[in-house]
Amino acid sequence: MKRIGKEESLSEAFGIRGGILSIVGAGGKTTSVFKIAREQEAMGKKVLVTTTTHMELPGKETVLSGDADDIIQKLKPGRTVTAGLRDGEKMKGLPKEVFQAASSFADVTIVEADGSKKMPVKARNETEPVIPEGTDQILIVAGMSALGRPIKDVCHRPERACKILEKSSEDFLNYEDIMKLIRMEYVIMLRKQYPDAELLILLNQCDTKERMDQAARIGICFDSQYSVILR
């Protein structure tokens, strides 16, 4: 388990080595996607960013044609290309064959593979997360800004979370609740369904000493098996 600052490298902290990285959970997925993309880009990598759910349109170097050749043409060393299909004001994922072709050309592919409605924590439904075939590493994100706040205000799919935690939607979340959501909703399922992928855990939004201390209590429960970063 390691504590890092906002400006320190997630790629270095987690040992992100290339291939396909899928990012799931809540509390900073999109920010983490593009931070890691910038870090990999700075190393001279050809970086592909995409999604299997929906994500905001990033603005530049975006390919929305759904054509693998268009994506590959833009993938250059030291450049990040974001690709998907336009869906209203957002972007949805690429067809499987396009994803496979484009990701095989990229040095590293970073996939936002879960939705959370901008909440810091979440419970998932039976279709989530959507992990692409061939994923090498899966990064689970959880936001510590949820600590000490009512479930209904900080959790995506609060009804399911309440059932798992045996609490009401008005109850406040503590570190044990977040630990249980990470374990029950992600670690157990991902270990079973994706046994060959390396699991990583980012306890994000540790903006105060109290949050950092509580995050350390969560992290110690996973640290013996997985790479855990407090940020």
Side-chain angles (χ1 to χ4, degrees):
M1 181 169 60
K2 183 179 180 182
R3 305 181 186 206
I4 68 171
K6 296 291 186 184
E7 302 306 315
E8 292 182 70
S9 171
L10 288 174
S11 295
E12 183 178 334
F14 282 122
I16 294 168
R17 57 185 180 271
I20 300 174
L21 168 69
S22 292
I23 301 185
V24 303
K29 287 193 310 297
T30 303
T31 301
S32 299
V33 164
F34 286 105
K35 177 173 171 57
I36 294 168
R38 290 191 301 273
E39 294 165 356
Q40 295 290 316
E41 181 182 296
M43 298 178 204
K45 303 282 188 69
K46 294 177 290 186
V47 184
L48 174 63
V49 169
T50 189
T51 183
T52 52
T53 55
H54 288 84
M55 68 187 301
E56 302 289 339
L57 293 169
K60 65 175 186 175
E61 294 294 352
T62 304
V63 179
L64 299 174
S65 65
D67 188 297
D69 289 338
D70 291 345
I71 301 167
I72 290 169
Q73 186 176 12
K74 283 186 172 290
L75 281 168
K76 307 290 183 186
R79 178 185 289 181
T80 296
V81 176
T82 305
L85 299 175
R86 183 181 288 277
D87 189 12
E89 296 301 312
K90 292 194 173 186
M91 184 184 81
K92 64 181 181 180
L94 295 164
K96 182 178 180 180
E97 64 278 7
V98 175
F99 174 84
Q100 290 175 336
S103 62
S104 67
F105 189 79
D107 295 317
V108 58
T109 299
I110 307 170
V111 183
E112 185 167 296
D114 208 358
S116 59
K117 302 292 186 186
K118 300 186 183 299
M119 293 292 191
V121 294
K122 70 168 288 185
R124 60 179 184 84
N125 67 21
E126 63 278 0
T127 67
E128 298 171 322
V130 186
I131 307 291
E133 184 179 334
T135 288
D136 299 288
Q137 295 174 298
I138 302 173
L139 173 57
I140 305 165
V141 182
M144 297 302 100
S145 64
L147 286 164
R149 297 170 65 190
I151 293 172
K152 66 181 178 64
D153 293 340
V154 295
C155 186
H156 183 41
R157 306 195 191 287
E159 299 84 1
R160 178 171 170 84
C162 289
K163 185 175 181 180
I164 293 166
L165 300 174
E166 299 181 330
K167 288 191 167 188
S168 80
S169 64
E170 302 287 340
D171 286 337
F172 292 175
L173 282 174
N174 59 39
Y175 81 91
E176 291 175 315
D177 298 326
I178 295 178
M179 179 184 66
K180 190 171 184 179
L181 288 174
I182 294 171
R183 184 186 300 281
M184 299 297 292
E185 290 293 79
Y186 286 96
V187 171
I188 292 173
M189 179 274 293
L190 292 171
R191 252 312 34 96
K192 185 180 297 184
Q193 293 190 19
Y194 306 95
D196 296 329
E198 180 186 5
L199 288 191
L200 315 168
I201 299 174
L202 174 61
L203 302 176
N204 206 23
Q205 302 172 345
C206 298
D207 302 318
T208 66
K209 183 181 184 300
E210 183 180 0
R211 287 182 186 177
M212 185 66 81
D213 290 345
Q214 295 297 300
R217 289 185 166 190
I218 298 169
I220 203 168
C221 300
F222 300 106
D223 189 47
S224 63
Q225 291 181 281
Y226 309 110
S227 180
V228 180
I229 298 297
L230 282 53
R231 176 176 179 270

